[in-house]
C-alpha cells in the first residue's frame, strides 16, 4: 500500500474494549475515536486501571478490540490474521516498558540485536545494534548484562531495542516509572528526539503531568472515554 502521507498514522475508529470477568462484562474503552498524525507525540494520562495499557496493546496489535477498527498507516491491524499482525508489529512497532523487560541472560548488545534476529534481514545486526546503542549513549556498556546496569542504563538499552528496527510507532508504557526524576526527564527527551524528529509516532503513558507540556497532544482517560487535555 502506498504511504498515506495526509492520513493520520494511527487512527482509532469507534474502538470498544470489554473484558469479561466472572459473571459480568466490563467496558474499559467505550467507543473511542482518535487520530494521531505522523510524527506526533501523544501523551495518555489517567488513573491506574483506567485502560491506558489496554489502549497501547490495541495500537501495538498485542490485543484486539471488541469492536471498532484500529488503523496504523492505513492498514486495519485488527482485521489482519494473527501471523500478519505479528509481522506488522515486528516491522513497525517498538515497545518500551516501565520494568525495562530486558532478557537477563543476554548482554545489552544481544538484547538490542534481538528484534533484528527475529526480522527478515540476515546480516549487519551487530553493526546496526551498536549504531543504535551509540545514539542513546550506551554503547560503552554493550557487553554488560542487565543486572549490572543502572535503571537509566537499562531503559536506554530498552529504547535502543525498541528503535533498532526503525519502527514507525513507538509505544512507551510508563517508561520513567522506575527512574528518578532527572533520569526520567533524560529518557523522555531521548524518546522525543528519536521519534518526533524522525517522523515516528510516540504514544506515551505516564503519571507525570509535566510530560503533557512536551507533547503535541495529551489526553486523559476516564470511564472508557478520552478527553483532550492539550
Ligand atoms: N486480560 C484482561 N482480562 C480482564 N481484565 C483485564 C485484562 N487486562 C486488563 N484488564 C482490566 O482492565 C482495566 C484496565 O487495565 P489497564 O489497561 O492495565 O489499566 P492502566 O494501564 O490504565 O492501569 C483494569 O481494571 C484491568 O484489571
Ligand atoms: Mg498500565
Amino acid at each position: 500500500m502506498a504511504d498515506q502521507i495526509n492520513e493520520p498514522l494511527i487512527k482509532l475508529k469507534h474502538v470498544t474494549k470489554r473484558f469479561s470477568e466472572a459473571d459480568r462484562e466490563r467496558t474499559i474503552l467505550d467507543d473511542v475515536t482518535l487520530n494521531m498524525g505522523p510524527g506526533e507525540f501523544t501523551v495518555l494520562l489517567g488513573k491506574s486501571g483506567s485502560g491506558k495499557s489496554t489502549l497501547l496493546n490495541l495500537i501495538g496489535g498485542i490485543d484486539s478490540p471488541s469492536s471498532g477498527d484500529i488503523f496504523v498507516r492505513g492498514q486495519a491491524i485488527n482485521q489482519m490474521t494473527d501471523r500478519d499482525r505479528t509481522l506488522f508489529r515486528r516491522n513497525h512497532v517498538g515497545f518500551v516498558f516501565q520494568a525495562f523487560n530486558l532478557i537477563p541472560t543476554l548482554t545489552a548488545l544481544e538484547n538490542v540485536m534481538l528484534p533484528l534476529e527475529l526480522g527478515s534481514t540476515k546480516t549487519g545486526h551487530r553493526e546496526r545494534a551498536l549504531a543504535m546503542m551509540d545514539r542513546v549513549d550506551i554503547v560503552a556498556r554493550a557487553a554488560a548484562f542487565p543486572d549490572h546496569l543502572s535503571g537509566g542504563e537499562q531503559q536506554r538499552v530498552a529504547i535502543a531495542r525498541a528503535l533498532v528496527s526503525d519502527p514507525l510507532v513507538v509505544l512507551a508504557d510508563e517508561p520513567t516509572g522506575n527512574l528518578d526524576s532527572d533520569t526520567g526527564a533524560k529518557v523522555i527527551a531521548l524518546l522525543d528526539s528519536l521519534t518526533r524528529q524522525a517522523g515516528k509516532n510516540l504514544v506515551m503513558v505516564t503519571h507525570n503531568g509535566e510530560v503533557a507540556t512536551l507533547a503535541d497532544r495529551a489526553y486523559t482517560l476516564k470511564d472508557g472515554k478520552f478527553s483532550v487535555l492539550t
Side-chain angles (χ1 to χ4, degrees):
M1 185 180 291
D3 286 3
Q4 301 187 344
I5 302 293
N6 297 318
E7 282 281 296
L9 185 62
I10 302 172
K11 189 167 176 173
L12 288 93
K13 232 173 148 181
H14 301 295
V15 168
T16 293
K17 181 65 180 176
R18 298 185 194 89
F19 287 118
S20 23
E21 201 175 66
D23 54 348
R24 66 185 191 117
E25 271 202 323
R26 294 172 58 218
T27 301
I28 302 302
L29 299 172
D30 185 7
D31 195 15
V32 171
T33 293
L34 278 183
N35 291 330
M36 301 175 195
E40 273 186 11
F41 174 10
T42 304
V43 160
L44 306 177
L45 300 161
K47 288 191 178 145
S48 178
S50 59
K52 306 179 299 295
S53 297
T54 300
L55 184 87
L56 288 193
N57 290 342
L58 294 179
I59 296 173
I62 285 178
D63 202 355
S64 295
S66 307
S67 61
D69 283 307
I70 297 160
F71 298 90
V72 179
R73 232 196 188 188
Q75 301 198 50
I77 57 166
N78 55 295
Q79 292 175 20
M80 292 177 181
T81 62
D82 286 349
R83 187 189 139 75
D84 285 350
R85 190 162 44 244
T86 299
L87 289 175
F88 189 86
R89 184 168 62 243
R90 276 188 199 155
N91 289 327
H92 299 305
V93 183
F95 274 98
V96 178
F97 302 95
Q98 176 173 2
F100 320 130
N101 294 12
L102 299 175
I103 296 179
T105 54
L106 300 180
T107 65
L109 174 61
E110 288 163 350
N111 268 281
V112 176
M113 286 170 66
L114 204 56
L116 300 175
E117 308 276 297
L118 295 170
S120 52
T121 62
K122 294 281 174 264
T123 58
H125 296 174
R126 192 185 160 82
E127 293 69 25
R128 278 177 72 187
L130 286 169
M132 192 64 233
M133 292 177 88
D134 191 33
R135 292 184 68 189
V136 302
D137 199 20
I138 196 69
V139 77
R141 307 293 279 134
F145 286 91
D147 66 350
H148 287 177
L149 300 174
S150 71
E153 288 174 331
Q154 288 186 59
Q155 197 58 304
R156 278 184 282 147
V157 173
I159 290 169
R161 179 184 57 184
L163 287 157
V164 74
S165 310
D166 199 24
L168 284 168
V169 174
V170 178
L171 305 173
D173 199 348
E174 305 192 31
T176 64
N178 284 336
L179 303 175
D180 64 71
S181 58
D182 280 357
T183 309
K186 284 183 188 142
V187 159
I188 286 167
L190 191 59
L191 277 169
D192 183 37
S193 70
L194 291 169
T195 53
R196 186 154 45 175
Q197 287 164 23
K200 300 176 191 300
N201 277 66
L202 172 62
V203 186
M204 186 183 294
V205 168
T206 178
H207 283 298
N208 184 350
E210 279 175 38
V211 177
T213 61
L214 297 173
D216 298 304
R217 290 262 181 286
Y219 298 96
T220 307
L221 177 57
K222 191 179 178 213
D223 300 328
K225 301 276 193 194
F226 281 90
S227 37
V228 180
L229 212 76
T230 53

